[in-house]
Amino acid sequence: MIKIAKAQLEDLAGIIAIEQDVFDTDSYPPFVVRQLFDISGDYFLVAKEKDKILGYALGGLNTKKQQGWVLSLGVHRDARGKGLGKQLTAQLIELLKAEYAEEIALTVYPDNTSAIKIYKDLGFVGETVLDNYFFDHEERVVMTLKISHQ
Ligand SMILES: CC(C)(COP(=O)(O)OP(=O)(O)OC[C@H]1O[C@@H](n2cnc3c(N)ncnc32)[C@H](O)[C@@H]1OP(=O)(O)O)[C@@H](O)C(=O)NCCC(=O)NCCS
């Protein structure tokens, strides 16, 4: 059975393996993943089957702005198309909502059809395209989700 849970220290090796496979030279170096775990542990989710890591979602919260972020999302190639990417993102949104985030933001490459489908399905909107967000002269779409706490 596949479970979604908060990432534990022992999950990081599996998370880093997926991160490096899917993002290649753009992946976070392992020391950054470790430090993000230390500061964003509450918003670091994994999908796992027994001890095998199938995917992860990493978020963050700017408490001053009450703005949450979806910082990274990755699903192992063999585990795609089963709804894990959407479930991980949906659960991350719930965690950020519970901390009274008023908006959740993310950026995505404009040609990333499957990720954009997930974000739109979950209510993210936005067409703002930034030319050089990661200083790599690649376009990046900014999407946001407004949260109502009524
Ligand atoms: C994006 C990613 C996380 C999606 O993971 P996943 O577990 O396969 O996603 P899901 O199974 O939840 O699929 C989400 C939706 O996208 C759809 N989809 C999948 N591939 C698609 C494609 N190439 N074109 C259009 N839609 C697609 C699915 O049908 C599904 O829609 P549905 O809910 O209506 O059935 C995964 O492909 C991945 O790790 N990609 C590389 C890393 C990445 O791009 N991360 C996002 C960075 S912003």
Side-chain angles (χ1 to χ4, degrees), residues 22-141:
V22 301
F23 295 112
D24 195 28
T25 53
D26 287 336
S27 62
Y28 293 141
F31 78 90
V32 173
V33 176
R34 170 64 212 245
Q35 300 233 277
L36 287 169
F37 173 79
D38 287 338
I39 63 165
S40 295
D42 284 347
Y43 314 111
F44 208 159
L45 294 175
V46 283
K48 58 171 146 177
E49 191 166 34
K50 296 192 181 136
D51 288 336
K52 187 170 166 49
I53 304 299
L54 302 179
Y56 65 91
L58 171 66
L61 180 66
N62 180 331
T63 49
K64 266 194 180 162
K65 290 185 179 174
Q66 288 306 117
Q67 185 185 47
W69 277 84
V70 178
L71 296 173
S72 192
L73 171 70
V75 171
H76 192 288
R77 290 175 197 280
D78 297 342
R80 290 189 189 161
K82 296 178 180 173
L84 292 181
K86 192 184 276 184
Q87 285 176 52
L88 282 160
T89 311
Q91 291 201 24
L92 178 58
I93 291 168
E94 290 307 314
L95 288 175
L96 292 165
K97 263 187 190 177
E99 294 300 324
Y100 295 96
E102 289 170 2
E103 177 188 86
I104 301 175
L106 59 84
T107 71
V108 58
Y109 285 115
D111 61 354
N112 194 342
T113 324
S114 52
I116 290 174
K117 169 134 191 359
I118 291 175
Y119 303 143
K120 282 190 173 166
D121 284 355
L122 293 173
F124 284 85
V125 295
E127 307 291 334
T128 307
V129 178
L130 301 180
D131 287 341
N132 197 21
Y133 183 81
F134 285 134
F135 315 111
D136 57 1
H137 303 287
E138 298 267 0
E139 291 185 333
R140 200 83 185 158
V141 181

